[in-house]
Amino acid sequence: MDEGPFIEAFSAWVRDHVATHVPFVAEVDGDAVGMAWLMVADRVPNSDPQRRRFGDIQSVYVVPELRDRRIGAALLAAVLAVARGLELEHVTVHSSDRGAALSAFGVPARATLAPLVARVARRMIALRAPVVCGG
Amino acid sequence: MAARKDGLAGTYVALAERHNRAGLNEPVAPTVGRDIHKRVTAGGWMRVTVRRASADDAAVLAGLRFRWLTESGDAVNWTRVLSSRLSPPG
C-alpha cells in the first residue's frame, strides 16, 4: 500500500467524521506517538429531557517503541475526562487481545483468558446516574 | 492513571517511563508541577502530552493509522475501502 494515497484518503475521512469521532493525540517532544478516538452517538430518545448520548472508545494506538509506558492509559484518561464533560451516559470499549484499553479500566491485560475474552468483551463505563425510565 | 489537566484548555499531561522496565511491570504514578521538570531533566521520565485533536491534525492521525495498519499487516486495499466510505462530493 502506498502511504501517500492512504494519508490523503484517511485525512478526508477524519475531516468527514470529526463531528462524531473525536480524536486525541499523545505527543512526546513534539512528536505524535499515539492516538485514541471517542465516537459520540445519540441514543434513542425517551422521556428524559436530557439528550441521551454515549461514547465508544476506538483505535487506541501507541507506537511500538514507546509501549508499556502507560501512554495508552494517559490517552484513555483524557478521553474519559472529555466524555464526562460531554455528559455521555456511558462509554464502551472493544479491546484487542493486547488488552491495553481493558487494562486501563482495571481489567488485567494479561489475565488468563485475556486473549480470548478481550477480543469479544465489551466493557461499559457508567459516567452518570442512570435515568428512571430505561430502554 | 489520572491525567492532570494542564493550563492549556483540553490538554492533559502525564508522565511515562522513558526507559523500559522489562518484566517489572511497575505502575507509574503521575506527578504534577515541579516534579515533572525535575524527573524529566533527570532523564528517567518523559513528558507525555495528550490533547484533543481536530481536523487540522488529520494528516498526523492518518500517519499513525498507516503505521498501525502496516504493523498489523492489515494494510492491503485500505485506501480503496476508505475512499468508498467517504461521502460523495457536493
Side-chain angles (χ1 to χ4, degrees), chain B residues 20-41:
Chain B
N20 188 15
R21 297 184 182 182
L24 295 179
N25 198 28
E26 293 181 1
V28 179
T31 57
V32 297
R34 293 178 181 175
D35 285 346
I36 288 180
H37 177 72
K38 190 183 301 179
R39 295 195 183 200
V40 167
T41 54

Side-chain angles (χ1 to χ4, degrees), chain B residues 18-79:
Chain B
R18 180 176 290 278
H19 303 297
N20 188 15
R21 297 184 182 182
L24 295 179
N25 198 28
E26 293 181 1
V28 179
T31 57
V32 297
R34 293 178 181 175
D35 285 346
I36 288 180
H37 177 72
K38 190 183 301 179
R39 295 195 183 200
V40 167
T41 54
W45 300 75
M46 61 183 173
R47 189 173 192 264
V48 179
T49 301
V50 177
R51 63 179 174 83
R52 184 171 172 171
S54 70
D56 293 338
D57 300 297
V60 171
L61 295 160
L64 289 168
R65 188 62 172 145
F66 179 83
R67 191 169 173 185
W68 183 354
L69 293 174
T70 303
E71 175 190 337
S72 64
D74 292 336
V76 178
N77 290 329
W78 267 92
T79 302

Side-chain angles (χ1 to χ4, degrees), chain A residues 10-64:
Chain A
F10 193 89
S11 296
W13 186 91
V14 171
R15 288 189 291 270
D16 209 39
H17 291 77
V18 74
T20 55
H21 293 68
V22 182
F24 295 78
V25 173
E27 296 173 327
V28 173
D29 298 332
D31 293 328
V33 300
M35 65 176 175
W37 299 75
L38 176 65
M39 187 208 73
V40 179
D42 284 331
R43 296 193 65 200
V44 176
N46 66 1
S47 59
D48 181 8
Q50 197 168 2
R51 189 179 179 188
R52 306 174 76 210
R53 295 191 299 172
F54 77 100
D56 188 54
I57 297 172
Q58 302 179 357
S59 295
V60 181
Y61 174 75
V62 176
V63 295

Side-chain angles (χ1 to χ4, degrees), chain A:
Chain A
M1 178 175 60
D2 293 330
E3 184 171 3
F6 179 88
I7 297 295
E8 186 177 342
F10 193 89
S11 296
W13 186 91
V14 171
R15 288 189 291 270
D16 209 39
H17 291 77
V18 74
T20 55
H21 293 68
V22 182
F24 295 78
V25 173
E27 296 173 327
V28 173
D29 298 332
D31 293 328
V33 300
M35 65 176 175
W37 299 75
L38 176 65
M39 187 208 73
V40 179
D42 284 331
R43 296 193 65 200
V44 176
N46 66 1
S47 59
D48 181 8
Q50 197 168 2
R51 189 179 179 188
R52 306 174 76 210
R53 295 191 299 172
F54 77 100
D56 188 54
I57 297 172
Q58 302 179 357
S59 295
V60 181
Y61 174 75
V62 176
V63 295
E65 61 270 26
L66 290 178
R67 287 176 190 162
D68 297 324
R69 292 163 175 80
R70 301 191 60 79
I71 293 174
L75 276 162
L76 288 174
V79 168
L80 291 177
V82 169
R84 289 189 177 91
L86 293 173
E87 298 186 325
L88 305 183
E89 283 192 357
H90 62 258
V91 168
T92 57
V93 61
H94 186 184
S95 174
S96 70
D97 55 4
R98 181 173 173 80
L102 287 175
S103 178
F105 294 134
V107 179
R110 302 186 190 285
T112 307
L113 298 178
L116 176 63
V117 174
R119 195 177 288 278
V120 298
R122 295 189 70 86
R123 184 163 175 84
M124 192 169 74
I125 311 300
L127 296 178
R128 65 181 176 126
V131 295
V132 175
C133 301

